[in-house]
Amino acid sequence: MSIRVALDNPPEFYTNLDIIRGQVLLSLSRQEHIGAVVVKLEGESRTALSSPADGSRAGVAYQQRDQAPTGGDTLYENHKILYKVAQVFPQENAAPITPPIVLAAGQHVFSFQFKFPFNNVCGDPATMARIGGIAGSGLFGLGGVRVMDGGRQLLYSHVTKTLPPSFTGFPGEAEIRYYIKVTIQRPGLFKENWRYHTGLKFLPIEPPRPQRSNREAYARRPYTFRPRSPSTASPQSRKRSSIFPGFGHGPGRPQTPNTGGGGFDSLAPPGPDAQDLSTAAPSIEMSARLPHPAILTCLQPIPLRLIAKKLVPASAEVFLVAIQIDLIGKTLVRCQNLANTETTRWSIVTRLGLLIPLSQPDDAVGTEVVVPDALWRDAPLPNTVMPSFKTCNLGRDYQIEVKLGLSWGKPLHHPSSRSNRGKGRLDSSEIPQEIHLPLNFSAVEVYSGMAPPPELVEAMRQGRGRKPATPRPQRPAASPMSPQQQQQSPAPDLPPRSNVAQQQSPAVQQQSPAVQQQQEMDPLYPSQLSPGQVAPPYDDAPPSYDEAMAEEMTGPMFPTQARPAFSGQTDENSPGTLPEKN
């Protein structure tokens, strides 16, 4: 016996609205009694955290992955973010109780098809309440296919968001996986069902991007260098002056008459304005700018702009000598009443030994210099960076940290500085000052690069701008009653349950059993009916435009060759690091 799943034209990863088709290949070496073949498309978001050693569960506890538990219990939380079931053999319209079918030896093929939805399903209490129990039947009611107990999902807190991407970054703590699972029911008291599963990679569709504008998000910081100690003499005037008048001056040096005696003095002191500008410490403002809102795209460079602005008049040169751009990911892991934040850092750009002028002596105050983007425009985000997401027990946010190395004067280690300096000893006023200036963006979104279909974007835009066009059905009016029925009817404020059926009109009593069964209420969520009212009042909003359009659209929405190489999950078929708990 062997079970294998063959997918039709599988892409590098699946996304929302994709239709996944395939076949279940069952090879039998002998004939077998088969009750049913069930295929499930599942997505799980699982977390595990250790509680504090003192046993207290109030508040928030943080447990590092590289530290062993200190004696507390390990809590688990498993959300079924995606759950679809299809019975491919026998057909779903078969009788509820079907005797086992004998399959001959050989290969048998069963086709299946699913469509990936937009949002997670664990946050829908009505859907979760309908899932549970045993599918199929066997001898003495044994051997059925067990499906998920959706009632357990109602014990957790949920949010309804777009399906998150595949994620296996923190073994033993958090993971998000998608599967195709196959269960072959073997009726019998001592026979086990055959099971098989294969992993899938998933990358969600990005939300609609806002229209482009000239607005920018910025992080800026001014800095003033420390004033240098004034030099008592220039390097050329350190030579011992001659005792003879008119000697001891190099060629081309200015000379002034000496009023106190014959001959000439050495270098004349500069004027007060020139002296202030030459010794004044430069002040510069560095600003990093991103398009607002700050959105990055997977596998694409950061749309960053760096601008330097001169703040004070100073005849000094300021250079950009180093730059480092880091992307910081904050992963929030929640498990019941515990939480932990994991930090991941990606180094996007690291450049040293630069000499890019930011401020020149002749520049006026307020002059802005744009740093060439050639330093980072060819450095895309790594393929291990997943889009920003938020689901019931996991979330990922991003930050950008830009570190700039600035120097007042040319650095000593730079080749041009060494060639101009020669072998002379440096004065304290000639030693360059170097500082590292950090610029941070605390909230940055990362999109997948999978743009939604234009039809869906237009439908969502229309849905937000106006009220839903779906008309609300009118509340059914009470059926007319005869005078005799009106005399027998009790007071409207206290209707006995036994007389509700007598208050219905003959037309309602003559409805088919299928219609009456359709009008039955959910026992978990009963509605209050007025006397003579058949159906509960319409109190649910119609489906949103994006959900309605998603059901009507058929794939593939995105060509396989246009999908980026996403690597958020290294091996989709690797064994899980967390136990399977509902």
Side-chain angles (χ1 to χ4, degrees), residues 291-338:
H292 179 76
I295 297 176
L296 308 183
T297 307
C298 292
L299 297 175
Q300 292 187 14
I302 300 177
L304 179 68
R305 289 206 312 147
L306 288 179
I307 300 177
K309 183 179 180 180
K310 188 174 181 178
L311 299 181
V312 297
S315 60
E317 291 182 323
V318 180
F319 299 92
L320 176 67
V321 297
I323 181 173
Q324 179 176 341
I325 303 176
D326 291 345
L327 181 66
I328 304 173
K330 300 284 188 177
T331 305
L332 178 60
V333 182
R334 287 194 297 265
C335 185
Q336 299 185 25
N337 57 350
L338 302 180

Side-chain angles (χ1 to χ4, degrees), residues 33-36 89-90 95-102 137-138 185 187:
H33 289 75
I34 303 299
F89 178 82
I97 301 179
T98 304
I101 300 176
V102 179
S137 61
Q185 175 198 352

Side-chain angles (χ1 to χ4, degrees), residues 6 35 49 56 77 104 144 207 270 296 309 311 325 338 349 372 375 400 491 503 508 522 558:
L49 290 175
S56 62
E77 189 168 334
L296 308 183
K309 183 179 180 180
L311 299 181
I325 303 176
L338 302 180
V349 173
L375 299 174
I400 289 182
Q503 299 172 10
V508 175
D522 192 344
F558 308 96

Side-chain angles (χ1 to χ4, degrees), residues 162-453:
T162 306
L163 288 175
S166 301
F167 172 58
T168 55
F170 306 118
E173 183 179 2
E175 62 182 13
I176 298 176
R177 291 176 177 266
Y178 293 87
Y179 310 92
I180 286 289
K181 294 185 177 181
V182 179
T183 303
I184 298 179
Q185 175 198 352
R186 300 175 64 207
L189 191 58
F190 300 103
K191 291 185 179 181
E192 294 183 356
N193 293 339
W194 292 334
R195 304 181 187 276
Y196 179 84
H197 74 274
T198 182
L200 306 172
K201 286 184 180 180
F202 183 83
L203 187 67
I205 293 177
E206 65 181 30
R209 293 177 181 257
Q211 296 181 358
R212 293 186 178 181
S213 63
N214 296 327
R215 297 188 302 170
E216 289 182 323
Y218 62 88
R220 61 187 179 188
R221 177 170 295 183
Y223 181 80
T224 302
F225 286 87
R226 185 180 67 255
R228 292 173 176 174
S229 300
S231 177
T232 57
S234 64
Q236 292 149 347
S237 64
R238 292 196 196 103
K239 296 181 181 180
R240 187 175 180 179
S241 57
S242 174
I243 60 176
F244 298 100
F247 293 93
H249 301 282
R253 297 185 59 189
Q255 299 176 356
T256 57
N258 188 356
T259 59
F264 295 85
D265 276 342
S266 60
L267 182 66
D273 295 340
Q275 185 177 6
D276 294 340
L277 293 179
S278 61
T279 60
S283 180
I284 193 170
E285 180 188 81
M286 298 300 301
S287 62
R289 304 183 183 182
L290 291 173
H292 179 76
I295 297 176
L296 308 183
T297 307
C298 292
L299 297 175
Q300 292 187 14
I302 300 177
L304 179 68
R305 289 206 312 147
L306 288 179
I307 300 177
K309 183 179 180 180
K310 188 174 181 178
L311 299 181
V312 297
S315 60
E317 291 182 323
V318 180
F319 299 92
L320 176 67
V321 297
I323 181 173
Q324 179 176 341
I325 303 176
D326 291 345
L327 181 66
I328 304 173
K330 300 284 188 177
T331 305
L332 178 60
V333 182
R334 287 194 297 265
C335 185
Q336 299 185 25
N337 57 350
L338 302 180
N340 182 28
T341 300
E342 298 285 352
T343 302
T344 309
R345 183 181 292 266
W346 292 269
S347 181
I348 309 300
V349 173
T350 301
R351 299 290 299 273
L352 304 175
L354 303 175
L355 195 65
I356 300 177
L358 301 180
S359 177
Q360 296 292 337
D362 298 335
D363 293 341
V365 177
T367 302
E368 293 185 349
V369 176
V370 180
V371 179
D373 61 351
L375 299 174
W376 60 84
R377 67 185 177 192
D378 296 330
L381 299 183
N383 60 354
T384 55
V385 176
M386 67 180 62
S388 306
F389 71 90
K390 182 181 179 180
T391 187
C392 305
N393 55 347
L394 277 173
R396 168 67 67 86
D397 296 323
Y398 288 97
Q399 301 176 2
I400 289 182
E401 184 181 74
V402 181
K403 295 182 180 179
L404 303 176
L406 305 182
S407 176
W408 176 10
K410 294 183 179 180
L412 299 178
H413 55 78
H414 199 272
S416 62
S417 177
R418 290 196 297 265
S419 62
N420 296 334
R421 187 173 67 248
K423 297 183 179 179
R425 190 175 63 177
L426 286 176
D427 187 77
S428 60
S429 62
E430 296 180 343
I431 299 178
Q433 295 184 25
E434 294 188 18
I435 57 104
H436 290 85
L437 205 62
L439 301 174
N440 298 324
F441 291 91
S442 59
V444 176
E445 294 286 337
V446 176
Y447 282 8
S448 63
M450 305 288 293

